[in-house]
Every structure is written in C-alpha cells, then in structure tokens.
Amino acid sequence: MKKSGPSLFVVTLLGAFAMNVAQAQDDRDMSKFVPTEIFACNYVEGKGPSDLDAAIDAWNQHLDGEGADAYAAWTLTRQYYSSEQDFDLLWLGAWKDGNAMGQGRDQYHATGGAIRAGFSAVVDCMGHTGYVSWAYKLMNNDDAPASDSAVFAFTDCDMKEGATYDSTVEGLKGWANVLGENGSKAGIYQWWPVYGGGDEEFDFKIISIYPNYTAQGADLERLGTGELWRKRMELVGGQFDCNVSRVYDAKLRRGAKLR
C-alpha cells in the first residue's frame, strides 16, 4: 500500500505539532509531532572524525552564543548495515516544534556562514531529508543517565491493505505498552517523511533507541526466547510490514528538551 494517505495527513499537520491525542509520560509532552532531519555524509578526502569534532565544537559555541536551546543533534555511525548504506555517517537533528525549526533555520542561514563552511570542509552530504516524529515510548536510561551514547535502530515500513493511520497508531501504542510492562528500556518512535525524499518507497519509519547494546540484546531475548514476537504480531502484524533494521552507534552532539 502506498503512502499517499498518511503523507497527506502529515502535510496538514505541519502547522499543528501539539495535538492532544496521547498521554504524557514522565511529565514530558508525548502529544506532539517533533520535526527531525537527517543528513547522509561522507568525509572529505583527508578528513576524519577528529576534524568533525572540531567543526561541531565551533558549531556548539556559535549556537551557545545565540542562546539557541531548541535543537538537539546526534551523529550516527554504522554497526549493522548493508551495501545500501553507502555513507560514512548520519547527522540526525530534531527541534522542539515547527516554529523552532523555521526560526532556527532562518537564524542559521543568516549568521552561520562560517560554521557551514567549516562543516563543508570536513564532510560532503549527499542527502538531506525531513520527517515528523511521534513518540510512543521514551528511552529508559536509568543505568547510565549521564551517557552521551546510544544505539539507534531504523526500519522502513509499509501499511498493509485495509490498515489506517488510526489502527496503526493504536497497534504501536499497544506494542510500546507491552515492551514497557516487560522491562524494555527502548524508546519507540514513528517517523513520517515530509521533506527531501522524493518518491519514498516506504510509508513510515520505526526508530528504536536503546541506551546500550545490553538493553538491545535484552529486547532481542524478550522477543525471541521470551516469545514477545507473538504479541507483536497480534498487535501490529495486520497493520504493516517492515524491512530488516539498520543499527547505528549514536553520539549526542547537542542536547535540548524536545518534549
């Protein structure tokens, strides 16, 4: 099933990121769509991670000087992947809402010329895509609350014939609740494509975020030996199909309160 219905739904929500259709979790606002972006990049010849670190330090100083506090960013490097993931790193950014996205982009274009040049001297980015992100479950990081690293798993999904936006959301809500009840530390998010992707071959992405590989492995054990896959099939098996996950090592580059 193609994504024409969900995509039109997303476009109509670009000015309404705070719909009250979900319950709050841990006093953070789960009831809104968060704008996100991904750049796929390769290092310029002769450059590497230490050069990127320096460019990011300069970028953070620039944003600190402007009092910018509504944008969070991570860099992602490949862990489990195929030849289709032909890049050195991903840059993942997110704003607290659509207003912050627009204002932040304008401000960066107006004052960040030197910073952009610094990044361009280190990485060449061949793709820039935008999404809106919905949270079903936030990551539990009690074991390492000060850590700036995480594990991100991405999978692309297509809605099945007869599935609707509402039925898909309800199924994912139920699955997120099951994970929480069984001790999972994963954060579960759904991303709808909005900008830059052209004719996407999927309807949405599901993002699972873990504090570490120990937590990811524990969920694999719950799904396999613990047979939670049966519950997952019951809740979402009739709603959509997904491809095999790509997994990335994530490093937090700038923090912000998004929810």
Side-chain angles (χ1 to χ4, degrees):
M1 178 179 177
K2 294 307 290 178
K3 65 180 182 310
S4 57
S7 292
L8 289 172
F9 175 80
V10 168
V11 171
T12 65
L13 288 175
L14 289 179
F17 291 98
M19 292 180 65
N20 296 318
V21 292
Q23 296 298 316
Q25 176 174 316
D26 296 336
D27 78 3
R28 285 167 286 186
D29 186 4
M30 303 274 282
S31 61
K32 67 176 182 178
F33 287 89
V34 170
T36 64
E37 64 177 353
I38 288 184
F39 292 87
C41 309
N42 288 316
Y43 285 111
V44 173
E45 186 174 357
K47 300 297 184 179
S50 62
D51 302 294
L52 180 61
D53 289 343
I56 291 173
D57 287 343
W59 169 74
N60 269 311
Q61 292 175 17
H62 172 77
L63 293 188
D64 288 345
E66 294 192 333
D69 62 356
Y71 182 80
W74 299 258
T75 51
L76 279 60
T77 54
R78 299 171 298 177
Q79 180 62 237
Y80 292 96
Y81 60 96
S82 72
S83 59
E84 294 179 2
Q85 283 75 60
D86 187 20
F87 48 78
D88 292 329
L89 64 100
L90 297 175
W91 176 280
L92 190 162
W95 295 266
K96 69 177 184 179
D97 58 31
N99 292 322
M101 180 188 74
Q103 293 163 6
R105 183 70 71 199
D106 281 342
Q107 184 70 13
Y108 189 54
H109 285 173
T111 66
I115 301 302
R116 296 198 303 276
F119 276 117
S120 295
V122 176
V123 291
D124 178 24
C125 299
M126 73 290 291
H128 182 201
T129 52
Y131 305 84
V132 285
S133 171
W134 176 282
Y136 291 92
K137 179 180 179 298
L138 301 182
M139 186 182 72
N140 180 339
N141 199 22
D142 291 342
D143 294 339
S147 176
D148 65 353
S149 63
V151 177
F152 283 53
F154 288 71
T155 184
D156 300 335
C157 305
D158 288 314
M159 294 172 65
K160 290 186 174 181
E161 193 69 35
T164 66
Y165 171 80
D166 290 333
S167 65
T168 299
V169 167
E170 287 306 310
L172 281 169
K173 283 181 181 178
W175 174 237
N177 289 336
V178 167
L179 286 175
E181 291 166 358
N182 283 271
S184 172
K185 295 182 180 298
I188 305 296
Y189 301 82
Q190 185 180 28
W191 287 14
W192 299 93
V194 177
Y195 299 128
D199 186 14
E200 295 286 9
E201 296 181 354
F202 59 89
D203 291 323
F204 58 84
K205 293 179 181 285
I206 293 178
I207 318 299
S208 303
I209 305 178
Y210 298 90
N212 47 47
Y213 284 103
T214 298
Q216 186 191 40
D219 265 11
L220 185 62
E221 186 69 8
R222 292 182 181 98
L223 282 163
T225 305
E227 296 194 349
L228 279 188
W229 65 269
R230 296 182 184 277
K231 191 64 177 178
R232 188 181 190 280
M233 287 298 296
E234 175 187 328
L235 291 167
V236 302
Q239 301 301 316
F240 51 84
D241 289 316
C242 301
N243 62 10
V244 177
S245 295
R246 289 84 62 201
V247 179
Y248 302 91
D249 299 331
K251 182 175 182 180
L252 181 65
R253 298 298 192 159
R254 186 172 184 85
K257 182 177 173 58
L258 302 180
R259 289 184 164 86

